[in-house]
Amino acid sequence: MLNDNRQQYVIQTNDTKGDEGFGKFFGAVIVLVMFLGLVQMAFDTITVWYRDTMAWVDDTATYLGSFWPF
């Protein structure tokens, strides 16, 4: 019953230009960071795959070289 006597105010602003610019900029920054994270993850994956492949080739060459009669 106390809320019946309280005045309520609604504040409405029509200037959304400042908020839109910041929101678009912040969204672009988030997309850029996500893209760079994806590039970093792909680079790490390819680097590890390359190192593992070279280690396998080295081990295979050493094994096959052990059969060389000299």
Side-chain angles (χ1 to χ4, degrees):
M1 293 307 254
L2 295 175
N3 290 337
D4 292 337
N5 295 329
R6 187 187 318 171
Q7 295 180 356
Q8 296 180 355
Y9 298 96
V10 175
I11 299 173
Q12 181 178 357
T13 60
N14 294 330
D15 183 25
T16 59
K17 292 181 182 178
D19 293 339
E20 275 186 29
F22 179 73
K24 287 181 182 178
F25 172 74
F26 195 65
V29 169
I30 289 173
V31 169
L32 178 66
V33 168
M34 289 175 59
F35 174 73
L36 291 176
L38 181 66
V39 169
Q40 179 69 38
M41 196 168 66
F43 178 76
D44 289 344
T45 301
I46 292 170
T47 303
V48 169
W49 178 84
Y50 177 76
R51 277 193 225 138
D52 289 345
T53 302
M54 289 301 111
W56 178 82
V57 167
D58 183 46
D59 291 343
T60 303
T62 302
Y63 175 73
L64 291 176
S66 68
F67 293 115
W68 197 258
F70 302 110

